Amino acid sequence: KNARTAAETWLPRCDGAVILSDQSDSEEGIVGVPHEGKEEYNNIWQKQRSNWRYIYEYYRDDFDYFHIGGDDTFVIADNLRSFLARPEIREQNDAGHPLYLGRRMKVGGNANHLFNTGGAGYVFNRAALELFYDSLDESFCAPHRHGFYEDVLVADCLKNGPAHLVPIDTRDSSG
């Protein structure tokens, strides 16, 4: 139901969109992407690893930025597009710097353990997507861990990888 709502509201405002799930549904336009382990809340990390792998393999050359969010996420696409068009973001992207953007949070209040929350969704540019994809099966990315804290594991993977990429907070001074 949530996928249909997204498809009827904010997804058409995006430059492109795909709805991924564990099972395909051609009537709803949902692409099934298999993942390691059971289909359960405590296995979202494996689901997101497979989803990002799918995005990279099928869409990496089609877009400059990639947003991922749950089926209960609502995005104001025009606002996101405006944010990504800001000069400081465009300059970083155009220079090939990896960008991992979102609502940054601290794990347990620890300022040295940051992540972009998956609840609101987060954005990779193509360079960050490539770094993440290339690291998915590395031990520092916990390739066989099962857990619901996939947003923290994404951040850990990027931080512990070759680029030592940390999340960029997209909030302004008003929050």
Side-chain angles (χ1 to χ4, degrees):
K1 181 182 181 218
N2 288 346
R4 181 182 309 135
T5 301
E8 292 173 352
T9 57
W10 66 271
L11 285 178
R13 292 179 175 88
C14 297
D15 295 336
V18 61
I19 299 172
L20 305 176
S21 185
D22 63 312
Q23 296 180 8
S24 294
D25 183 335
S26 58
E27 189 174 307
E28 295 291 332
I30 297 171
V31 177
V33 179
H35 57 81
E36 178 182 306
K38 295 179 182 178
E39 176 61 25
E40 62 184 10
Y41 180 69
N42 197 40
N43 198 28
I44 296 176
W45 172 233
Q46 291 303 320
K47 187 172 193 162
Q48 291 298 49
R49 288 180 69 252
S50 294
N51 288 345
W52 278 119
R53 190 181 310 275
Y54 182 90
I55 294 299
Y56 178 85
E57 291 172 357
Y58 290 93
Y59 295 99
R60 72 176 174 261
D61 295 325
D62 296 340
F63 302 101
D64 293 329
Y65 298 98
F66 304 86
H67 178 275
I68 196 163
D71 64 354
D72 58 349
T73 301
F74 186 91
V75 174
I76 301 173
D78 291 337
N79 288 5
L80 178 57
R81 194 176 289 108
S82 292
F83 179 85
L84 296 172
R86 291 171 58 176
E88 62 271 24
I89 300 296
R90 291 296 305 170
E91 288 169 13
Q92 295 264 340
N93 184 64
D94 292 348
H97 298 292
L99 298 172
Y100 166 41
L101 309 160
R103 193 323 189 168
R104 191 171 64 196
M105 299 182 77
K106 302 172 189 173
V107 176
N110 182 347
N112 293 316
H113 197 181
L114 303 172
F115 69 102
N116 283 330
T117 180
Y122 49 87
V123 174
F124 288 162
N125 69 347
R126 190 178 301 134
L129 175 64
E130 185 171 326
L131 281 172
F132 187 63
Y133 178 85
D134 289 345
S135 299
L136 278 173
D137 294 321
E138 299 296 334
S139 60
F140 59 82
C141 283
H144 301 293
R145 182 171 294 162
H146 292 228
F148 61 87
Y149 42 92
E150 87 292 346
D151 45 9
V152 173
L153 291 169
V154 166
D156 290 350
C157 179
L158 291 168
K159 182 180 180 183
N160 296 326
H164 304 289
L165 187 61
V166 295
I168 297 171
D169 198 346
T170 57
R171 294 176 297 164
D172 61 18
S173 60
S174 301

